[in-house]
Amino acid sequence: MENVPRPAEELAVLDRELAHIDARRAQLLARRSYLLTLLTPPRPVAPRPPHTPAAWPAARAPETSPPSVQNALLALGGVLLTIAAIAFTVVSWGSMGIGGRSAVLGTVTAAALAAPALLLRRALTSTAEAVGALALVLTVLDAYALYRIALPGADPLGCTAAACAVLAAGWGAYGLVIDRLRTPLPAAVLIAQLPLPLWALAAGAGQLTFAWALLATAVADIAIVLWTRSEPARSVAGVTAWVAGGWALLITAGLSVTAGSPLDAARPGALLLAGAGVGLFVAVRVPGVAFAGALVAGLAATVATGGVLRPSVPLGWAVVGYLLCGAALLTAVRAPLPRAAVRGLCTAAGAVVTAAVLLTLPSVAVTLLGPVSRVDDIWSGAPGGVREAIGTDPGWSAMSTAPLVLLITAGLLALAYGRLPASARPAALSGATGLGWAAALVLPAALDLGYATAVAAGLVTTAGALALAVYAHLPNAPRRPGPAVLSALSTTALACALTGAGGVSLLSLAAETTSHLTLGVLLALFCGAAVALNAAVTDTPTGDDTEVSPSARAAFPARSFQAVLACLAVVTAVALLCALGASAGLPREHVALVVLAVPAAGALLGARLRRHPVALPMELTAAGAGPLALGLAAGRPETVALVLALCAVVAAGTALRPDRRPAAGYLAAALFVLATWVRLYASDVTTPEAYTLPVTVPALVVGVLRRRGDPEASSWTAYGPGLAATLLPSLAAAWGDTHWLRPLALGTAALAVTLVGARLRLQALLVLGGAVLALDTLHELAPYIVQVVGALPRWLPPALAGLLLLALGATYERRLNDARRLRESLGRMR
């Protein structure tokens, strides 16, 4: 409602106001100078310049601008008047007759409609806008009053539709007559959305007729957008066109997909085709929304044509029909349409194709994970067909057409490959590869092939995907598509191969022989692929200051794939050993010992490969068989101890290599200690020294060797962990022991450690031995101390405490000096 004058007028106003301000400032400065000459005696002081900032204190900026205050007042006044008018019309009918009330309301409305013209002549634009908006509200109240007076028994919906039509026409004419008002035309567009839908509802029409009314309203809005000069009205009409048209198409799409016969689907299909034509017309005539219009047109046409085919075919083939209809939109690439419209149609085709592919995902998931439902019946015998092996009914109507949908989609991506920009080609080729693999995966279940045939097909599919993944990295592979495309193709093929390997492994669990053969074939495939990729791995110089060559950079994906394949070969080997052990009837603890052959073989192969990039991942994966062996041996402590000891042997052998020595050495020591502890536990040994001394003795030996090599090493680092491993658990056991032998032995050992520490001036031995000796002695003397304390008078302990405090206070300085000398003496120890 803000009245903004034209720039020339506003500039003239500003110039006049500045001239007035300058003239007034000059007068005030002259008066000030005169007053200063009267009050101040003459002296040789330069007067302050008139333009000095101190002469005029800064004025406080207003918190609100005048236009804001004006608009707030006008808006508040309009709201209050609107509320008053509504209250008068709706609530206060009882205080005045029918004729009087109508006359008053009509008179006020006429005055409100005429006032904006007079206000605009006086350049009160904002006030005119406020009064004009109030006049529009009053016309609505006039319509309500007319209904209550003249048509009290008429249909409310019909009367509302007629009133909306009349008001839309009246407001439009009013806005055209007084074209400087910005409110009437957008308001007319808004209220014009109601007549046709309300008439349809008043006539009791169905959803299809209601949708036609909405579509007709949207067409009228589009006409307003194209042939109206008022920008506010065009903006409102553009929004309402999308709302009304989208609502109509959604209703009709629902009717199309739920129709029971082709004839029933043809009726909403006609509306969808009409909506598609309107959307395409908008895409051609309105460049700003060409993409969105073409997108809506493509989706509506696809739903219309596919909906006619859907009732006469099963669900799976209906998906194929929609897919083919969506694919037909791709022919628009060669149509004489704007570029944005072509992109919109192609996007609509992509959306339809994506929806069709998503509907096939349950079939793919069931094919891969369905055998999990038969885990309880492992090796129960080969089933009659693959569907029986899957053990889950995903809806075989959709399953039967899933391969066709996937193949069609893959073909579309392959055909589009040459027309796509270079940046999008890797994604298109990866999608085509993945969809083709998924089609081959689902095909045996869709055809319900025999069990053996399905397993063989899964192995062949996995082998083909592996071959494709390896082929792109071979030195003699063609590089015409570009390294990015080949890398994407190889990555997708490897992911498909690994997923297929998991699926066929689960499928093979139904029969014992099939499981062995499947795992053996997969092991051979993974090993063969890893060896084949070895040719693509480029040797690169090592070191931090060497520069990586381009060939080494290109070989990085091949190295990564080779490491993944080597790790999968190790996992497959573990699974095969477990399966063979179970087939041989071996107990679980014996199978655990068989599984340990994998870590041993991994360590030997890692020593052979040395610094090859595959060595470390493969060794770590092989080491993961150790926890599996422990899990298999759980419940048999003797076997668990043996497994830990064998794992320690493997780790100790690995520690012979300089590059693996630190980590493998510590791991071997920990495993040996754990093996000893488990074996002692299995022999019902409860003496803590039996567990701690095997740790303390080697730790002290290592400490001695370290001190010989590094005389500056601290005694805490060399001997502290080893001594604490035995002294502290023994001290805890001695405090709970009622016999005298353990405390005596512990005290003797602690005294020996203390004396050795004092003799060799080693801080760790002196502190640990002395502390343990003191606590052990306190434990032995505690009963006597308790008896003595119980025999003393009650007042004696406080008295002794007071005397002790006095003694401490008297010798405070001397004790501090003694403590300082003791700390310095300990600090000089090693």
Side-chain angles (χ1 to χ4, degrees), residues 485-503:
V485 174
L486 289 177
S487 177
L489 175 63
S490 178
T491 304
T492 305
L494 181 62
C496 294
L498 302 186
T499 307

Side-chain angles (χ1 to χ4, degrees), residues 371-559:
V372 177
S373 61
R374 295 174 56 91
V375 169
D376 296 336
D377 300 328
I378 291 179
W379 294 354
S380 58
V386 64
R387 294 185 182 181
E388 183 182 350
I390 291 175
T392 306
D393 184 7
W396 297 112
S397 174
M399 174 72 81
S400 60
T401 58
L404 182 59
V405 172
L406 294 170
L407 285 176
I408 292 175
T409 308
L412 291 175
L413 287 175
L415 291 174
Y417 175 83
R419 301 180 181 274
L420 293 175
S423 59
R425 290 181 179 180
L429 191 57
S430 297
T433 304
L435 293 172
W437 167 83
L441 178 73
V442 180
L443 185 61
L447 300 178
D448 196 15
L449 300 178
Y451 175 71
T453 306
V455 173
L459 291 174
V460 170
T461 304
T462 302
L466 278 177
L468 187 60
V470 171
Y471 177 72
H473 293 285
L474 293 178
N476 56 353
R479 299 290 175 179
R480 286 189 300 271
V485 174
L486 289 177
S487 177
L489 175 63
S490 178
T491 304
T492 305
L494 181 62
C496 294
L498 302 186
T499 307
V504 74
S505 299
L506 292 174
L507 185 63
S508 67
L509 293 177
E512 182 176 354
T513 305
T514 306
S515 295
H516 297 159
L517 291 175
T518 300
L519 292 175
V521 172
L522 290 177
L523 178 60
L525 288 175
F526 290 145
C527 292
V531 172
L533 275 177
N534 193 50
V537 177
T538 305
D539 293 331
T540 57
T542 59
D544 295 336
D545 56 348
T546 57
E547 194 131 348
V548 180
S549 63
S551 60
R553 223 178 267 113
F556 177 74
R559 289 174 175 171

Side-chain angles (χ1 to χ4, degrees), residues 78-96:
V79 171
L80 293 178
L81 288 175
T82 301
I83 295 173
I86 294 174
F88 174 78
T89 306
V90 179
V91 180
S92 301
W93 284 106
S95 61
M96 186 180 295

